Amino acid sequence: MKELEKQYDPKTVEPYWYDRWQQKGYFHGDASKGGTPYCIVIPPPNITGILHIGHALNNTIQDILVRWQRMEGKNTVWLPGTDHAGIATQNVVERALRKEGKTRHDIGREAFVGKVWDWKEEYGGTIIRQLKRLGASCDWERERFTMDAGLSEAVEEVFCQLYDKGLIYRANYITNWCPRCHTALSDEESEHQDVAGKLYFIRYPVKRDGKLTASEFVVVATTRPETLLGDVAVAVNLKDDRYKALIGKTLSLPVLHRDLPVIADDFVDPAFGTGAVKVTPAHDPNDFEMGQRHKLAPINVMNPDGTMNEGAGPYAGLDRFECRKRIVTDLTAAGLIEKIEAHQHAVGHCYRCDTVVEPRLSLQWFVKMKPLAEPALQAMLDGRVRFVPERWNKVYADWMGNIRDWCISRQIWWGHRIPVYYCDACHHQWAARGKPGHCPQCGDANLRQDEDVLDTWFSSWLWPFSTFGWPHKNPDLALYYPGHTLVTASEIIFFWVARMVMAGIEFMGEVPFREVYIHGTVRDDKGRKMSKSLGNSIDPLTIIEEFSADALRYSLMMITATGQDVYLSNEKFEIGRNFGTKIWNAARYMQMQDPAGPVRAAAGFDAALLSADDRHILAKLSQTIEACTENLKRFRFNDAAQDLYAFIWHEFCDWYVEYSKDVLYGQDAARRAEVIKVMHYAFSTALRLLHPFMPHLTEELWHGMGYGSEEETIMLAPWPKPLTGELAQWGATPEVVQYVDARHELIRMGRMLRADCGIAPGQKLDYSIKPNTPQLTVWLKADTTTLMSMLKAKSVSVDAAFVPAAAMPSALTPIGALYMPIEGLIDVKAESVKLTKQLEELGGHLERANMKLNNPSFINKAKPEVVAQFEKSRQELQEKFNKVKRLLDMMG
RNA sequence: GGGUGUUUAGCUCAGUUGGUUAGAGCGCUUGCCUCACAUGCAAGAGGUCACAGGUUCAAGUCCUGUAACGCCCACCA
């Protein structure tokens, strides 16, 4: 126990406690200790990354869950680590290399990969250090990297299993190609962006009897004129009368003068463009399929870097966009451009470098996804894994249901090299774990390994079990798999979450986590995504510097409604800072009153000495425990944060501390001791609830106040339980709560009157409250009309008989008396619900009765007495109905 | 094109199974450096709950439609 400084100093306090927690090993989970596991794996940030505000949000949420569950006594692991981020990291190192005037090809594969490792050693830990500054209670002893030995082993194992099962294949196919990164991309890595492009209408001359006709053309529309160099046909719809006669005829490809057949294909939509489509199998996925259907060999006219190759004839060597310009110029000169229209369409962009993606034919590796997706979809439908908020279930299901094969090969050097080997002697090809010495078929030792590396996500999708030592069986894997919760943003549901579910089921036989909490995206105050290029990003470390890590964490939680996007600006962080200051000062107040208070508080209360206010704050505390816990269970972090804020600031500080001053500065020693006990009880409990949100401040106060011994930590203090039994024991009944709440209302009204009537704050007024009909008598210098209207606005009843003038101090004018009915308050909601049920029942009867009476067959068949009797009872019912309705109206 | 989210105070947002007077923070107005806290205290003003219908005794909340903005997915060249 030490005296609290006047000013809280997070800059020294926060790192102090974080280091201590780490030294003491509080973050580490030990499988041999057994118990109920609670495991979260971190979405591994890229080694190229620096902590941005989205990470801060994501990791604060995870830390809150983990710290809460740790206090609940679970065997907790939050497994941290980083992702090697293939393309992104390679780009960074290549850029550095370029500054030296070199390319990766100049230094060779091995040296380049060595350089990336060097870079990783030097800079790859940045984000980890930043997570520590945030207060993340990760199990750092378990830190993993997607390229470390264990994970690489898992990657090879998975590749071989899928390969041997026939789920991995190699094929020539149109893939998304990034000409800047020189690699294929998966569909997910190609981001569609709307682009204001142009639709070029180009004339293809028709040949008759092998000769060009001067005036006959087929006009095709395209957004990428340069690809016409790779055309092998023009397609029309069989049902399109305009072109029927041309099917089977020959056209001449502009510029290159190649002969192109006119073919018929259902794919062509007669309503779009001109109804005639150029067929370019090497540069368009649809055309590729058409080419296959019609057995037309593709012509590739582009190099991997996006320049035109020798197939482009005179345009060889030009960049694709330069070529586009030139070809349009040339076509225009030749009179072959019919028109050019503006055309808005979606174009794929590389998710790493934002270059326009080129659909391009190349030899790539793929994973067959359907067999993996079906059980993963089923797991969600069964509820074995569920998304919060629920709406993401549908997004997940849609993707799983329409899944396409996953292109997993990348033409880069940084990553897990594809473990496929080729024997040139016998042309055998196989996948192997570890580096094989010779060909298993012919024994030849002259082997080649595939040059490509795997998609980064091919290691990420194994993260929940590869990090625990899979494929080797071990106690960690047995206890901590499957994990409990996954916390992430919606952007990587397809990249990562969905694929982890598939891998978990395929290789572990069970989903990797039970629930997936999808939080919102952090945006700036104009609704834009935070990004470096926009210059609108808020650097969490700057915020930590200016406010504190706890302030950052708490503020983020206050404004993050479940799954909603967060709009952020700098001043939002004042919430957390001010809250921290408030708490600090409340603690100082208590310490000043009685430094030994916490010790005495441990003794428990003497119920007979508790006042209504004491009981009230204890009841509110219990409500807060319950609400806060429930809200954490439901991922309602903003509500939980709000609960704590309202309790600590408004109940505890605004009311209870103020109330306590009367007692603590007073003479009644027994009451004084009791109030101090209550105060410490409430405060220390609130600190525990707040710990997951503001870990450093709460630990500092836990020790500063002396709630735990030097060797203890609030991190492992038990999570508070609602005080159901205790409240009854202490006499903290709902009536007491209602009474005190009502009195607060009265006091507020008194203050209002003071303020409105201009009574100086220093001037004492005489408020008297009588039991049962607590009456506030106010003497004020104001007229009755004013008071009446004020009271009316607050809908408080005013006794018609004012206090007799004789009873007033002569210097003041009596103006009114205020009544607050405490006994006999009607629970309008409960009563209404009761009546509503009655009404529904009556309504049902009534409707049936009406139906019967309106039914001709009933009237005809029934005896008149029966009808009369029926009519009578229907009227009675109606009356009853109206009565209930009137009652309801009165209450409403 | 399909899906999905948002629209509530000047601003940023809560508002759970429909139910008492629609809340919070910031900002604003007024008065206070009152012995924990001016990063504070007390009081106040400020709302046609996007719009139009509907269901209900009762709608910010449920249903139908409309509009604006946003996000995701998508091989009409």
Side-chain angles (χ1 to χ4, degrees), chain A residues 170-439:
Chain A
R170 197 182 193 202
N172 243 316
Y173 199 77
I174 296 268
T175 46
N176 307 293
W177 183 270
C178 175
R180 207 215 59 80
C181 300
H182 279 214
T183 183
L185 301 171
S186 66
D187 293 331
E188 288 71 28
E189 288 169 322
S190 160
E191 292 180 339
H192 288 92
Q193 293 172 20
D194 269 345
V195 170
K198 285 179 178 137
L199 194 55
Y200 301 86
F201 290 77
I202 302 171
R203 295 173 171 150
Y204 284 35
V206 179
K207 272 187 165 180
R208 297 251 179 224
D209 307 322
K211 282 189 211 127
L212 276 177
T213 52
S215 56
E216 206 181 345
F217 301 104
V218 170
V219 180
V220 303
T222 180
T223 53
R224 294 181 294 153
E226 70 281 9
T227 63
L228 72 77
L229 299 167
D231 283 1
V232 297
V234 167
V236 297
N237 195 301
L238 190 59
K239 291 177 197 123
D240 192 336
D241 291 337
R242 292 173 294 178
Y243 298 110
K244 233 175 196 165
L246 282 170
I247 295 168
K249 296 282 189 297
T250 303
L251 306 178
S252 174
L253 178 65
V255 186
L256 294 183
H257 312 298
R258 188 158 64 224
D259 282 355
L260 303 178
V262 177
I263 60 174
D265 198 288
D266 276 349
F267 164 77
V268 182
D269 174 5
F272 186 88
T274 61
V277 181
K278 61 196 263 320
V279 181
T280 322
H283 296 279
D284 183 279
N286 295 310
D287 294 7
F288 179 76
E289 309 247 318
M290 268 197 281
Q292 296 223 308
R293 280 198 290 275
H294 298 271
K295 302 205 167 44
L296 296 164
I299 300 171
N300 193 331
V301 294
M302 229 177 265
N303 291 311
D305 64 356
T307 58
M308 308 309 290
N309 67 16
E310 61 287 354
Y315 302 97
L318 288 179
D319 175 76
R320 53 185 169 152
F321 297 120
E322 184 57 31
C323 175
R324 180 176 300 175
K325 273 190 218 158
R326 293 272 289 272
I327 221 163
V328 170
T329 312
D330 293 351
L331 288 173
T332 309
L336 293 177
I337 297 273
E338 176 141 318
K339 59 177 172 175
I340 301 173
E341 285 181 354
H343 184 64
Q344 187 88 8
H345 63 143
V347 177
H349 289 68
C350 173
Y351 88 138
R352 283 300 173 213
C353 72
D354 208 36
T355 300
V356 173
V357 162
E358 198 65 36
R360 181 170 173 273
L361 190 63
S362 57
L363 189 58
Q364 302 291 346
W365 289 94
F366 296 88
V367 177
K368 270 189 200 152
M369 295 302 264
K370 261 221 168 75
L372 299 174
E374 273 161 15
L377 176 58
Q378 197 54 45
M380 186 277 285
L381 296 174
D382 292 347
R384 269 155 42 228
V385 59
R386 70 182 184 100
F387 284 81
V388 179
E390 261 184 0
R391 61 173 182 272
W392 297 108
N393 283 328
K394 192 170 160 12
V395 174
Y396 172 91
D398 285 350
W399 189 75
M400 284 290 185
N402 300 307
I403 199 152
R404 298 165 64 196
D405 286 354
W406 176 15
C407 175
I408 52 169
S409 46
R410 298 288 177 275
Q411 287 64 51
I412 58 173
W413 289 346
W414 174 242
H416 300 96
R417 195 153 167 187
I418 289 180
V420 168
Y421 299 86
Y422 307 93
C423 171
D424 287 333
C426 71
H427 300 294
H428 181 50
Q429 166 195 321
W430 75 103
R433 299 157 179 86
K435 219 173 180 78
H438 53 84
C439 170

Side-chain angles (χ1 to χ4, degrees), chain A residues 605-622 647 652 655-657 659-660 663-664 670-679 681-682 723 727 730-733 736-737 740 743-744:
Chain A
F605 308 130
D606 178 352
L609 284 173
L610 296 175
S611 73
D613 295 88
D614 300 331
R615 292 174 177 147
H616 179 259
I617 194 72
L618 290 167
K620 290 283 173 180
L621 174 67
S622 182
F647 175 76
F652 189 78
W655 288 109
Y656 192 71
V657 165
Y659 154 78
S660 79
V663 180
L664 298 187
R671 284 284 302 127
R672 189 171 193 282
E674 210 59 23
V675 165
I676 283 182
K677 282 195 226 169
V678 172
M679 252 180 1
Y681 184 89
L723 309 166
L727 290 185
W730 299 329
T733 60
V736 170
V737 174
V740 175
R743 212 183 48 198
H744 288 170

Side-chain angles (χ1 to χ4, degrees), chain A residues 8 12 65 70 100 128 162 186 220 254 294 312 323 331 367 377 403 440 478 497 528 553 555 580 606 693-694 795 845:
Chain A
Y8 174 54
T12 55
L65 292 173
R70 202 181 281 120
E100 302 170 25
I128 295 297
L162 292 176
S186 66
V220 303
H294 298 271
C323 175
L331 288 173
V367 177
L377 176 58
I403 199 152
V497 182
R528 301 172 305 183
R553 294 167 60 114
S555 304
D606 178 352
F693 295 84
M694 306 183 102
S795 55
H845 291 311

